[in-house]
Amino acid sequence: MAERVFVGRVGRPHGLDGSFFVEDPSTARERFAVGAELLVGGQSSTVVAARHARGRPVIKLDRPVERGSSLEVQASDLPAQADDSFYVFQLVGLSVVEDGGRELGRVADVSPGPANDVLELDTGHALPMVEDCVRSVDLGAGRIFVAPGFVEPG
């Protein structure tokens, strides 16, 4: 089964024509443009109307969908990233290891910050995604290597 990526959730209705607010929307506005393909409940749907209201996307799909349903796209449909850029779904679950071999935990989430993104680990540690901290990301090996000194020993 192909990997799917969450891009939003069906929110409350907007108007009477079947349109709805997109909750937790992707920042890629093209995901919600007229003609865009989304997966809802594993089935393909097409955006037939799109606008913004109160700064949030409002869309209508070519079929009725249940409120709370996830809006997804196929990972293979995402544009390729630059060598030093990654999608959040690629990082979640990776093991984080300090230079020297100390395991710090696994990536639970990546949070946006005012200056840089932050790796949130399942151990409660938070590491800044800056060059001084993150030495390398090896998707094939499932590891992120970080510099020592960003997590207290223990």
Side-chain angles (χ1 to χ4, degrees):
M1 183 165 103
E3 189 168 9
R4 298 179 189 161
V5 178
F6 176 86
V7 295
R9 186 172 316 285
V10 177
R12 65 181 177 81
H14 186 270
L16 302 174
D17 68 349
S19 294
F20 57 88
F21 281 98
V22 177
E23 295 176 355
D24 303 319
S26 164
T27 57
R29 295 185 113 184
E30 67 273 11
R31 296 276 166 238
F32 309 113
V34 171
E37 294 290 322
L38 297 171
L39 297 171
V40 186
Q43 296 181 4
S44 182
S45 296
T46 303
V47 177
V48 296
R51 61 188 179 279
H52 271 74
R54 294 181 222 134
R56 297 185 347 204
V58 173
I59 63 173
K60 178 181 177 184
L61 299 176
D62 61 352
R63 64 183 178 89
V65 292
E66 189 174 322
R67 185 174 180 180
S69 298
S70 291
L71 302 171
E72 302 170 315
V73 296
Q74 296 288 352
S76 59
D77 292 342
L78 296 173
Q81 292 281 71
D83 287 340
D84 61 346
S85 296
F86 303 93
Y87 288 108
V88 170
F89 78 89
Q90 293 175 302
L91 301 177
V92 171
L94 296 186
S95 176
V96 179
V97 180
E98 267 186 341
D99 289 346
R102 182 169 73 133
E103 298 253 349
L104 301 178
R106 293 194 170 275
V107 178
D109 199 3
V110 179
S111 299
N116 52 266
D117 291 343
V118 176
L119 293 172
E120 294 181 8
L121 307 187
D122 60 0
T123 55
H125 299 302
L127 300 170
M129 288 199 64
V130 296
E131 194 173 322
D132 287 346
C133 178
V134 178
R135 298 285 195 215
S136 66
V137 176
D138 187 339
L139 294 177
R143 289 197 172 150
I144 298 174
F145 296 94
V146 298
F150 286 88
V151 173
E152 292 292 322

